[in-house]
Amino acid sequence: TWIFLPATLVAAVAVSLDPLNGGWAIGRAAFLVLAGSLSFAFYRLLHPAKGICASPSGVETRSNPQRLLWLGYLALIAAPLVLGVIAVLGYLHAAGILFGELLTTLWVLITVWLLWELARRWLLIAQRRIAYEAAVEERAARMAARQEQEEGDAHAHDQTALMEAEEEEVDLVALSETSKKLLDTAFVFLGLIGLWMVWYDVLPALRVLDGVTLWQRMEIVDGVEQAVAVTLPDIGLALLYAIATVVLMKQLPAVLEIILLRSTEMSAAGRYTATTLTNYLIVIAGAVLVSATIGIEWSKLQWLVAALGVGIGFGLQEIVANFISGLIILFERPVRVGDLITVGDASGRVERIRIRATTIRDFEQKELLIPNKELITGRLLNWTLSDARTRILIQVGIAYGSDVDRAMEILLELAHQDERVLEEPPPGVVFDRFADSSLNLAFR
């Protein structure tokens, strides 16, 4: 600082006094000094192993692309020196302009880096806080269970624990890793946009791409329909929108789920609905941006809509019906992720709700794909929609001549011994009918 600031002042005064000659030799010398001081500052501050960007604990060192870091480090050290040499050769004005852009680039990178570190810090704190709250709830449940066991009322707690265990556990590690990837990608895009805004005016050669016309589209400008060229940069921007859409589809739901976990008391099924609908909105927004950038107007796709209408009428009606049924399921929520359902002769727990079909896992760990239309238009038995308590009917047959009253007592004793059976409503057993070879009891 003590070298850079005085050299900057001397160079600025010299250039102001003699702008035609670039401040005489003293201006060039001062510029060379300030360029050398900035290069030395980069050498001290940005060292990949010892600088401010290094991992304090060394844990993340292996995951960083070391070669790219060293190449960028050497390029930053060399850039001010190269500009100093350009100034000495007589191109002081150009060197000054590029030097100012280099400093602006430095501030942009520092700002992006600071925001990235703050975002990672917030994500880490949110993850740890969620894990801490879960641990506190688990500890409180264990203490309550111990107290109820001491009071001889462990049965009610076991039933409550069984009910609460239906909530699907959240994989915080997987969510955190996905969220970190999203943050890294987002801030890389932010840094690239910042660098483009800084250097766009300095690199006029890139504007040659604006003259590469691929096709033309009609737009209404000031009430008049005019032909607007779609250029090569428009295609690049459309590709950027498409890449951003794909990245957000893959990584944004994890961040959204952490935010919902941290800020709301929404259930796992509710969070799944929110993240799925967010994915749909991302896809729609990305498609609109890409089509608008490359000049695709929906009003001019009437022939495609008509063709799709014919296709839907013949072969795609089931796909469309399943898609609409999937939206109805997500909004109306007759079926949620984690519910135990029976559809036809298939029973299992809901794993995923997709655009076309819903995946359930049966008790033999087989995954069944059920079209969404069957869940809406067919008969569906949801065992855990509003209440996870279920009455089970067991048919018990005893031989003719057996003591029916004693058989009923044994069944009730077995029910009271099973901790999963509720006290209220109480279990019951009644005589059902005289079968061909047995006396049938209905054990509920």
Side-chain angles (χ1 to χ4, degrees), residues 95-127:
I97 296 296
L98 294 176
F99 196 84
E101 299 296 339
L102 179 63
L103 291 179
T104 305
T105 301
L106 180 63
W107 285 115
V108 169
L109 294 179
I110 289 176
T111 303
V112 173
W113 174 70
L114 179 61
L115 293 175
W116 175 67
E117 291 289 353
L118 289 174
R120 285 171 61 92
R121 174 70 175 174
W122 172 84
L123 184 65
L124 179 62
I125 291 176
Q127 177 190 359

mmCIF file of all heavy atoms in Angstrom, residues 95-127:
data_model
loop_
_atom_site.group_PDB
_atom_site.id
_atom_site.type_symbol
_atom_site.label_atom_id
_atom_site.label_comp_id
_atom_site.label_asym_id
_atom_site.label_seq_id
_atom_site.Cartn_x
_atom_site.Cartn_y
_atom_site.Cartn_z
ATOM 1 N N ALA A 95 -2.203 0.874 -21.504
ATOM 2 C CA ALA A 95 -1.834 0.148 -20.287
ATOM 3 C C ALA A 95 -2.657 0.637 -19.096
ATOM 4 O O ALA A 95 -3.066 -0.146 -18.235
ATOM 5 C CB ALA A 95 -0.344 0.316 -20.009
ATOM 6 N N GLY A 96 -2.917 1.968 -19.043
ATOM 7 C CA GLY A 96 -3.722 2.497 -17.943
ATOM 8 C C GLY A 96 -5.151 1.984 -17.978
ATOM 9 O O GLY A 96 -5.734 1.639 -16.939
ATOM 10 N N ILE A 97 -5.737 1.934 -19.179
ATOM 11 C CA ILE A 97 -7.106 1.423 -19.309
ATOM 12 C C ILE A 97 -7.168 -0.045 -18.871
ATOM 13 O O ILE A 97 -8.047 -0.449 -18.096
ATOM 14 C CB ILE A 97 -7.610 1.591 -20.750
ATOM 15 C CG1 ILE A 97 -7.710 3.079 -21.113
ATOM 16 C CG2 ILE A 97 -8.962 0.903 -20.919
ATOM 17 C CD1 ILE A 97 -8.719 3.845 -20.295
ATOM 18 N N LEU A 98 -6.236 -0.841 -19.368
ATOM 19 C CA LEU A 98 -6.231 -2.270 -19.007
ATOM 20 C C LEU A 98 -5.938 -2.460 -17.522
ATOM 21 O O LEU A 98 -6.468 -3.386 -16.895
ATOM 22 C CB LEU A 98 -5.195 -3.007 -19.853
ATOM 23 C CG LEU A 98 -5.482 -3.066 -21.360
ATOM 24 C CD1 LEU A 98 -4.345 -3.742 -22.099
ATOM 25 C CD2 LEU A 98 -6.795 -3.799 -21.617
ATOM 26 N N PHE A 99 -5.096 -1.583 -16.963
ATOM 27 C CA PHE A 99 -4.796 -1.686 -15.532
ATOM 28 C C PHE A 99 -6.036 -1.406 -14.698
ATOM 29 O O PHE A 99 -6.304 -2.082 -13.692
ATOM 30 C CB PHE A 99 -3.682 -0.710 -15.172
ATOM 31 C CG PHE A 99 -3.047 -0.988 -13.843
ATOM 32 C CD1 PHE A 99 -2.031 -1.918 -13.714
ATOM 33 C CD2 PHE A 99 -3.466 -0.315 -12.700
ATOM 34 C CE1 PHE A 99 -1.451 -2.176 -12.490
ATOM 35 C CE2 PHE A 99 -2.902 -0.562 -11.471
ATOM 36 C CZ PHE A 99 -1.882 -1.500 -11.360
ATOM 37 N N GLY A 100 -6.819 -0.409 -15.100
ATOM 38 C CA GLY A 100 -8.069 -0.131 -14.389
ATOM 39 C C GLY A 100 -9.053 -1.291 -14.481
ATOM 40 O O GLY A 100 -9.720 -1.636 -13.492
ATOM 41 N N GLU A 101 -9.136 -1.910 -15.669
ATOM 42 C CA GLU A 101 -10.021 -3.065 -15.809
ATOM 43 C C GLU A 101 -9.532 -4.244 -14.965
ATOM 44 O O GLU A 101 -10.336 -5.013 -14.425
ATOM 45 C CB GLU A 101 -10.110 -3.477 -17.279
ATOM 46 C CG GLU A 101 -10.669 -2.411 -18.204
ATOM 47 C CD GLU A 101 -12.103 -2.070 -17.868
ATOM 48 O OE1 GLU A 101 -12.787 -2.880 -17.213
ATOM 49 O OE2 GLU A 101 -12.576 -0.974 -18.247
ATOM 50 N N LEU A 102 -8.199 -4.373 -14.846
ATOM 51 C CA LEU A 102 -7.644 -5.439 -14.013
ATOM 52 C C LEU A 102 -8.014 -5.240 -12.549
ATOM 53 O O LEU A 102 -8.388 -6.190 -11.845
ATOM 54 C CB LEU A 102 -6.125 -5.491 -14.178
ATOM 55 C CG LEU A 102 -5.395 -6.551 -13.352
ATOM 56 C CD1 LEU A 102 -5.840 -7.951 -13.752
ATOM 57 C CD2 LEU A 102 -3.882 -6.411 -13.499
ATOM 58 N N LEU A 103 -7.947 -4.007 -12.073
ATOM 59 C CA LEU A 103 -8.341 -3.728 -10.689
ATOM 60 C C LEU A 103 -9.845 -3.976 -10.491
ATOM 61 O O LEU A 103 -10.263 -4.518 -9.461
ATOM 62 C CB LEU A 103 -7.987 -2.283 -10.322
ATOM 63 C CG LEU A 103 -6.490 -1.962 -10.214
ATOM 64 C CD1 LEU A 103 -6.298 -0.492 -9.864
ATOM 65 C CD2 LEU A 103 -5.829 -2.846 -9.153
ATOM 66 N N THR A 104 -10.657 -3.567 -11.468
ATOM 67 C CA THR A 104 -12.092 -3.839 -11.365
ATOM 68 C C THR A 104 -12.370 -5.338 -11.338
ATOM 69 O O THR A 104 -13.218 -5.823 -10.581
ATOM 70 C CB THR A 104 -12.828 -3.189 -12.548
ATOM 71 O OG1 THR A 104 -12.521 -1.806 -12.603
ATOM 72 C CG2 THR A 104 -14.333 -3.361 -12.400
ATOM 73 N N THR A 105 -11.637 -6.080 -12.176
ATOM 74 C CA THR A 105 -11.770 -7.540 -12.157
ATOM 75 C C THR A 105 -11.427 -8.108 -10.798
ATOM 76 O O THR A 105 -12.102 -9.020 -10.290
ATOM 77 C CB THR A 105 -10.855 -8.155 -13.232
ATOM 78 O OG1 THR A 105 -11.215 -7.634 -14.505
ATOM 79 C CG2 THR A 105 -10.970 -9.668 -13.241
ATOM 80 N N LEU A 106 -10.368 -7.559 -10.195
ATOM 81 C CA LEU A 106 -9.970 -8.033 -8.856
ATOM 82 C C LEU A 106 -11.090 -7.809 -7.843
ATOM 83 O O LEU A 106 -11.398 -8.697 -7.039
ATOM 84 C CB LEU A 106 -8.698 -7.305 -8.429
ATOM 85 C CG LEU A 106 -8.151 -7.680 -7.050
ATOM 86 C CD1 LEU A 106 -7.737 -9.151 -7.023
ATOM 87 C CD2 LEU A 106 -6.969 -6.781 -6.692
ATOM 88 N N TRP A 107 -11.714 -6.624 -7.895
ATOM 89 C CA TRP A 107 -12.802 -6.353 -6.951
ATOM 90 C C TRP A 107 -14.003 -7.261 -7.215
ATOM 91 O O TRP A 107 -14.665 -7.716 -6.263
ATOM 92 C CB TRP A 107 -13.213 -4.884 -7.043
ATOM 93 C CG TRP A 107 -12.237 -3.960 -6.394
ATOM 94 C CD1 TRP A 107 -11.471 -3.017 -6.995
ATOM 95 C CD2 TRP A 107 -11.923 -3.909 -4.998
ATOM 96 N NE1 TRP A 107 -10.689 -2.374 -6.078
ATOM 97 C CE2 TRP A 107 -10.942 -2.895 -4.827
ATOM 98 C CE3 TRP A 107 -12.350 -4.605 -3.874
ATOM 99 C CZ2 TRP A 107 -10.404 -2.566 -3.599
ATOM 100 C CZ3 TRP A 107 -11.814 -4.285 -2.637
ATOM 101 C CH2 TRP A 107 -10.851 -3.284 -2.494
ATOM 102 N N VAL A 108 -14.300 -7.525 -8.479
ATOM 103 C CA VAL A 108 -15.412 -8.431 -8.803
ATOM 104 C C VAL A 108 -15.144 -9.828 -8.251
ATOM 105 O O VAL A 108 -16.017 -10.448 -7.625
ATOM 106 C CB VAL A 108 -15.633 -8.473 -10.328
ATOM 107 C CG1 VAL A 108 -16.590 -9.603 -10.703
ATOM 108 C CG2 VAL A 108 -16.188 -7.142 -10.817
ATOM 109 N N LEU A 109 -13.927 -10.339 -8.465
ATOM 110 C CA LEU A 109 -13.596 -11.680 -7.975
ATOM 111 C C LEU A 109 -13.626 -11.743 -6.448
ATOM 112 O O LEU A 109 -14.091 -12.728 -5.866
ATOM 113 C CB LEU A 109 -12.221 -12.095 -8.501
ATOM 114 C CG LEU A 109 -12.117 -12.286 -10.016
ATOM 115 C CD1 LEU A 109 -10.698 -12.661 -10.410
ATOM 116 C CD2 LEU A 109 -13.094 -13.354 -10.494
ATOM 117 N N ILE A 110 -13.132 -10.682 -5.782
ATOM 118 C CA ILE A 110 -13.168 -10.664 -4.316
ATOM 119 C C ILE A 110 -14.605 -10.656 -3.820
ATOM 120 O O ILE A 110 -14.958 -11.364 -2.861
ATOM 121 C CB ILE A 110 -12.388 -9.444 -3.785
ATOM 122 C CG1 ILE A 110 -10.881 -9.635 -4.012
ATOM 123 C CG2 ILE A 110 -12.665 -9.230 -2.303
ATOM 124 C CD1 ILE A 110 -10.049 -8.448 -3.600
ATOM 125 N N THR A 111 -15.471 -9.869 -4.471
ATOM 126 C CA THR A 111 -16.876 -9.807 -4.049
ATOM 127 C C THR A 111 -17.566 -11.152 -4.238
ATOM 128 O O THR A 111 -18.275 -11.634 -3.345
ATOM 129 C CB THR A 111 -17.603 -8.723 -4.853
ATOM 130 O OG1 THR A 111 -16.947 -7.468 -4.670
ATOM 131 C CG2 THR A 111 -19.045 -8.597 -4.393
ATOM 132 N N VAL A 112 -17.356 -11.773 -5.402
ATOM 133 C CA VAL A 112 -17.963 -13.082 -5.652
ATOM 134 C C VAL A 112 -17.443 -14.114 -4.675
ATOM 135 O O VAL A 112 -18.200 -14.928 -4.128
ATOM 136 C CB VAL A 112 -17.697 -13.520 -7.107
ATOM 137 C CG1 VAL A 112 -18.157 -14.951 -7.334
ATOM 138 C CG2 VAL A 112 -18.418 -12.592 -8.072
ATOM 139 N N TRP A 113 -16.148 -14.095 -4.403
ATOM 140 C CA TRP A 113 -15.556 -15.050 -3.463
ATOM 141 C C TRP A 113 -16.126 -14.862 -2.059
ATOM 142 O O TRP A 113 -16.439 -15.823 -1.355
ATOM 143 C CB TRP A 113 -14.041 -14.887 -3.459
ATOM 144 C CG TRP A 113 -13.342 -15.713 -2.416
ATOM 145 C CD1 TRP A 113 -13.201 -17.066 -2.383
ATOM 146 C CD2 TRP A 113 -12.693 -15.220 -1.235
ATOM 147 N NE1 TRP A 113 -12.515 -17.456 -1.255
ATOM 148 C CE2 TRP A 113 -12.190 -16.328 -0.535
ATOM 149 C CE3 TRP A 113 -12.503 -13.946 -0.704
ATOM 150 C CZ2 TRP A 113 -11.500 -16.213 0.659
ATOM 151 C CZ3 TRP A 113 -11.809 -13.820 0.485
ATOM 152 C CH2 TRP A 113 -11.321 -14.941 1.158
ATOM 153 N N LEU A 114 -16.266 -13.590 -1.627
ATOM 154 C CA LEU A 114 -16.808 -13.322 -0.302
ATOM 155 C C LEU A 114 -18.254 -13.801 -0.186
ATOM 156 O O LEU A 114 -18.637 -14.446 0.806
ATOM 157 C CB LEU A 114 -16.713 -11.825 -0.010
ATOM 158 C CG LEU A 114 -17.258 -11.358 1.345
ATOM 159 C CD1 LEU A 114 -16.498 -12.010 2.478
ATOM 160 C CD2 LEU A 114 -17.189 -9.842 1.461
ATOM 161 N N LEU A 115 -19.078 -13.498 -1.216
ATOM 162 C CA LEU A 115 -20.463 -13.958 -1.190
ATOM 163 C C LEU A 115 -20.534 -15.489 -1.197
ATOM 164 O O LEU A 115 -21.393 -16.083 -0.534
ATOM 165 C CB LEU A 115 -21.219 -13.392 -2.394
ATOM 166 C CG LEU A 115 -21.419 -11.874 -2.405
ATOM 167 C CD1 LEU A 115 -22.079 -11.447 -3.707
ATOM 168 C CD2 LEU A 115 -22.248 -11.433 -1.211
ATOM 169 N N TRP A 116 -19.637 -16.137 -1.942
ATOM 170 C CA TRP A 116 -19.608 -17.604 -1.998
ATOM 171 C C TRP A 116 -19.276 -18.196 -0.636
ATOM 172 O O TRP A 116 -19.921 -19.139 -0.182
ATOM 173 C CB TRP A 116 -18.594 -18.033 -3.050
ATOM 174 C CG TRP A 116 -18.377 -19.507 -3.139
ATOM 175 C CD1 TRP A 116 -19.270 -20.438 -3.558
ATOM 176 C CD2 TRP A 116 -17.181 -20.226 -2.814
ATOM 177 N NE1 TRP A 116 -18.714 -21.704 -3.513
ATOM 178 C CE2 TRP A 116 -17.425 -21.589 -3.062
ATOM 179 C CE3 TRP A 116 -15.928 -19.838 -2.352
ATOM 180 C CZ2 TRP A 116 -16.450 -22.565 -2.845
ATOM 181 C CZ3 TRP A 116 -14.959 -20.811 -2.149
ATOM 182 C CH2 TRP A 116 -15.234 -22.150 -2.392
ATOM 183 N N GLU A 117 -18.281 -17.622 0.038
ATOM 184 C CA GLU A 117 -17.925 -18.123 1.369
ATOM 185 C C GLU A 117 -19.058 -17.895 2.370
ATOM 186 O O GLU A 117 -19.330 -18.744 3.227
ATOM 187 C CB GLU A 117 -16.644 -17.442 1.858
ATOM 188 C CG GLU A 117 -15.387 -17.843 1.110
ATOM 189 C CD GLU A 117 -14.958 -19.272 1.422
ATOM 190 O OE1 GLU A 117 -15.557 -19.891 2.317
ATOM 191 O OE2 GLU A 117 -14.034 -19.771 0.768
ATOM 192 N N LEU A 118 -19.732 -16.733 2.277
ATOM 193 C CA LEU A 118 -20.851 -16.468 3.182
ATOM 194 C C LEU A 118 -21.997 -17.442 2.927
ATOM 195 O O LEU A 118 -22.646 -17.910 3.877
ATOM 196 C CB LEU A 118 -21.331 -15.031 3.007
ATOM 197 C CG LEU A 118 -20.397 -13.935 3.529
ATOM 198 C CD1 LEU A 118 -20.940 -12.562 3.157
ATOM 199 C CD2 LEU A 118 -20.224 -14.044 5.042
ATOM 200 N N ALA A 119 -22.260 -17.752 1.656
ATOM 201 C CA ALA A 119 -23.322 -18.707 1.339
ATOM 202 C C ALA A 119 -22.981 -20.103 1.862
ATOM 203 O O ALA A 119 -23.837 -20.802 2.412
ATOM 204 C CB ALA A 119 -23.553 -18.742 -0.178
ATOM 205 N N ARG A 120 -21.734 -20.524 1.704
ATOM 206 C CA ARG A 120 -21.322 -21.828 2.236
ATOM 207 C C ARG A 120 -21.416 -21.848 3.765
ATOM 208 O O ARG A 120 -21.786 -22.852 4.367
ATOM 209 C CB ARG A 120 -19.896 -22.148 1.785
ATOM 210 C CG ARG A 120 -19.796 -22.574 0.335
ATOM 211 C CD ARG A 120 -18.351 -22.651 -0.105
ATOM 212 N NE ARG A 120 -17.592 -23.624 0.652
ATOM 213 C CZ ARG A 120 -17.434 -24.894 0.300
ATOM 214 N NH1 ARG A 120 -17.993 -25.328 -0.819
ATOM 215 N NH2 ARG A 120 -16.723 -25.719 1.024
ATOM 216 N N ARG A 121 -21.071 -20.725 4.377
ATOM 217 C CA ARG A 121 -21.170 -20.627 5.843
ATOM 218 C C ARG A 121 -22.629 -20.766 6.286
ATOM 219 O O ARG A 121 -22.925 -21.479 7.250
ATOM 220 C CB ARG A 121 -20.599 -19.280 6.277
ATOM 221 C CG ARG A 121 -20.758 -18.987 7.753
ATOM 222 C CD ARG A 121 -19.877 -19.860 8.598
ATOM 223 N NE ARG A 121 -19.956 -19.486 10.007
ATOM 224 C CZ ARG A 121 -19.373 -20.163 10.981
ATOM 225 N NH1 ARG A 121 -18.669 -21.250 10.711
ATOM 226 N NH2 ARG A 121 -19.472 -19.763 12.225
ATOM 227 N N TRP A 122 -23.527 -20.060 5.594
ATOM 228 C CA TRP A 122 -24.950 -20.160 5.943
ATOM 229 C C TRP A 122 -25.443 -21.592 5.762
ATOM 230 O O TRP A 122 -26.209 -22.103 6.581
ATOM 231 C CB TRP A 122 -25.761 -19.217 5.054
ATOM 232 C CG TRP A 122 -27.237 -19.412 5.216
ATOM 233 C CD1 TRP A 122 -28.047 -18.861 6.162
ATOM 234 C CD2 TRP A 122 -28.076 -20.261 4.406
ATOM 235 N NE1 TRP A 122 -29.338 -19.309 5.985
ATOM 236 C CE2 TRP A 122 -29.386 -20.165 4.934
ATOM 237 C CE3 TRP A 122 -27.840 -21.077 3.317
ATOM 238 C CZ2 TRP A 122 -30.452 -20.853 4.380
ATOM 239 C CZ3 TRP A 122 -28.909 -21.763 2.771
ATOM 240 C CH2 TRP A 122 -30.181 -21.651 3.304
ATOM 241 N N LEU A 123 -25.020 -22.240 4.679
ATOM 242 C CA LEU A 123 -25.456 -23.612 4.423
ATOM 243 C C LEU A 123 -24.963 -24.552 5.512
ATOM 244 O O LEU A 123 -25.710 -25.415 6.001
ATOM 245 C CB LEU A 123 -24.937 -24.067 3.056
ATOM 246 C CG LEU A 123 -25.366 -25.447 2.584
ATOM 247 C CD1 LEU A 123 -26.866 -25.486 2.372
ATOM 248 C CD2 LEU A 123 -24.649 -25.793 1.279
ATOM 249 N N LEU A 124 -23.730 -24.382 5.935
ATOM 250 C CA LEU A 124 -23.175 -25.229 6.995
ATOM 251 C C LEU A 124 -23.912 -25.018 8.311
ATOM 252 O O LEU A 124 -24.241 -25.967 9.029
ATOM 253 C CB LEU A 124 -21.683 -24.934 7.157
ATOM 254 C CG LEU A 124 -20.943 -25.723 8.243
ATOM 255 C CD1 LEU A 124 -20.990 -27.214 7.932
ATOM 256 C CD2 LEU A 124 -19.505 -25.248 8.366
ATOM 257 N N ILE A 125 -24.190 -23.747 8.635
ATOM 258 C CA ILE A 125 -24.908 -23.455 9.879
ATOM 259 C C ILE A 125 -26.316 -24.033 9.831
ATOM 260 O O ILE A 125 -26.805 -24.610 10.817
ATOM 261 C CB ILE A 125 -24.937 -21.932 10.122
ATOM 262 C CG1 ILE A 125 -23.533 -21.424 10.442
ATOM 263 C CG2 ILE A 125 -25.896 -21.577 11.261
ATOM 264 C CD1 ILE A 125 -23.448 -19.920 10.600
ATOM 265 N N ALA A 126 -26.991 -23.892 8.686
ATOM 266 C CA ALA A 126 -28.345 -24.440 8.565
ATOM 267 C C ALA A 126 -28.340 -25.955 8.718
ATOM 268 O O ALA A 126 -29.190 -26.527 9.411
ATOM 269 C CB ALA A 126 -28.943 -24.044 7.209
ATOM 270 N N GLN A 127 -27.370 -26.615 8.105
ATOM 271 C CA GLN A 127 -27.291 -28.075 8.212
ATOM 272 C C GLN A 127 -27.053 -28.499 9.648
ATOM 273 O O GLN A 127 -27.701 -29.411 10.163
ATOM 274 C CB GLN A 127 -26.168 -28.591 7.312
ATOM 275 C CG GLN A 127 -25.962 -30.101 7.411
ATOM 276 C CD GLN A 127 -24.705 -30.549 6.697
ATOM 277 O OE1 GLN A 127 -24.001 -29.736 6.111
ATOM 278 N NE2 GLN A 127 -24.418 -31.823 6.753
#
